[in-house]
Amino acid sequence: MSEPLTADSPGDNKLGDYLRDRRTKLDPAALGFPAERRRTAGLRREEVAQRANISPTWYTWLEQGRGGAPSADVLDRIARALMLTEAEREHLFLLGLGRPPEVRYRRNDSVTPRLQRVLDALDPSPALIRTATWDVVAWNRAATVMLTDYGALPPERRNILRLLFLDPRARAVQYDWESVARFVLGAFRIDAARAGAAAEVAPLVDELCRLSPEFATLWRENGVVSAPHEAVKHIRHPVIGPLAFEYTAFAVDGRTDLTMTVYNPATEEDAQRIQSLMRS
């Protein structure tokens, strides 16, 4: 673990410099403070302390590099007071404590139009974007005809585990459903824990345990696996028959909660068969 960069460190008072810089970027009037003439731009120290609900003296000491390392709770309050982005909040923790903040899951099901255009450009390779809780939030036309018509499902039903364990059609396309289910569940368990989303997935887990004996059995096994970034996947499509795909998973830059999965047809013949299905 790296050391926090306080005034006692060789890097001088980087935490204080960062706090001063961030508060000068805020508009006092927009945050309800008097719009009077100020000697410097941004918020005063006591105004940041007020918004963070901490002592003005303690905040002043932080900017001056005095008083030792702050607690994670204090840094979290200051991050909210300064309206820091997730990246800025992480940087604040690295400066103050020498480590990133603990993971906290924030559900965000939206993707940008640019990201959707990336998916669309990948046709005829089925491609989708899923969250850390394995909810599908974006997909292309090839994914619709080859995997599932996600657009026909209500958003709360677009979950890969829900489909795999409760939809007979999702089971039928797999050559070895049990192996696939065991792998998906193990990867899901790791992703949800890594994202700090245990509370968010608890209702889904409870529901699947009630509705699927197979899910309940596998969940009790507590198996975990790391999802490979590359693999070969075989399915049997109900219309065009067996196909092979080169499976690749990508992290979405700037969105640690999202993963893009691309199923690239393993042969030109497979690609042509998918294209013919998309045209029909």
Side-chain angles (χ1 to χ4, degrees):
M1 178 182 296
S2 60
E3 293 295 327
L5 295 175
T6 64
D8 298 326
S9 304
D12 297 322
N13 187 16
K14 293 191 183 323
L15 174 61
D17 292 342
Y18 188 64
L19 291 173
R20 281 190 294 274
D21 178 75
R22 291 298 93 190
R23 66 180 170 88
T24 64
K25 300 295 193 295
L26 297 178
D27 180 3
L31 297 175
F33 295 106
E36 60 199 25
R37 184 180 181 85
R38 295 172 179 242
R39 289 184 299 172
T40 58
L43 298 186
R44 299 187 176 105
R45 287 171 174 168
E46 59 268 24
E47 291 169 340
V48 176
Q50 178 183 332
R51 284 175 53 80
N53 195 27
I54 60 176
S55 161
T57 300
W58 173 231
Y59 180 78
T60 299
W61 284 356
L62 281 182
E63 283 203 2
Q64 294 174 345
R66 301 161 56 194
S71 68
D73 177 63
V74 165
L75 287 182
D76 209 35
R77 290 195 228 168
I78 292 174
R80 290 195 297 271
L82 295 174
M83 303 178 69
L84 301 185
T85 66
E86 284 299 304
E88 291 167 342
R89 176 173 173 266
E90 179 178 358
H91 187 61
L92 177 68
F93 270 71
L94 290 172
L95 292 177
L97 294 177
R99 63 168 176 79
E102 293 185 8
V103 175
R104 59 180 185 182
Y105 182 68
R106 289 184 175 180
R107 185 181 181 92
N108 183 354
D109 291 347
S110 63
V111 299
T112 63
R114 177 177 295 180
L115 200 50
Q116 181 62 56
R117 288 194 292 271
V118 171
L119 292 179
D120 295 338
L122 292 170
D123 284 329
S125 297
L128 56 85
I129 294 175
R130 62 169 174 80
T131 66
T133 57
W134 288 58
D135 291 316
V136 177
V137 294
W139 57 92
N140 62 6
R141 169 67 177 158
T144 296
V145 301
M146 289 303 305
L147 303 176
T148 298
D149 186 358
Y150 299 104
L153 301 174
E156 67 273 11
R157 310 300 292 183
R158 298 170 190 162
N159 180 271
I160 293 174
L161 273 74
R162 192 187 300 277
L163 292 168
L164 186 61
F165 284 91
L166 301 183
D167 188 338
R169 294 169 298 181
R171 181 188 295 253
V173 302
Q174 306 295 336
Y175 279 96
D176 186 350
W177 178 88
E178 184 175 349
S179 293
V180 172
R182 191 182 301 275
F183 162 77
V184 167
L185 191 53
F188 163 82
R189 190 190 292 272
I190 282 187
D191 283 355
R194 187 176 288 152
E200 285 73 12
V201 302
L204 173 65
V205 170
D206 290 344
E207 178 187 359
L208 291 177
C209 282
R210 291 194 310 270
L211 299 178
S212 170
E214 293 108 328
F215 180 92
T217 298
L218 293 176
W219 187 256
R220 285 193 296 267
E221 292 180 2
N222 290 309
V224 293
V225 298
S226 293
H229 295 296
E230 296 182 355
V232 176
K233 181 175 182 61
H234 298 270
I235 69 168
R236 46 189 175 206
H237 192 272
V239 177
I240 59 176
L243 298 110
F245 295 95
E246 295 173 342
Y247 160 104
T248 309
F250 303 91
V252 176
D253 190 32
R255 289 291 303 274
T256 57
D257 57 318
L258 298 181
T259 299
M260 178 186 292
T261 304
V262 181
Y263 298 90
N264 194 41
T267 69
E268 182 61 30
E269 179 186 357
D270 286 345
Q272 292 174 359
R273 291 159 67 201
I274 295 172
Q275 287 175 321
S276 67
L277 187 62
M278 293 172 62
R279 290 192 296 265
S280 61

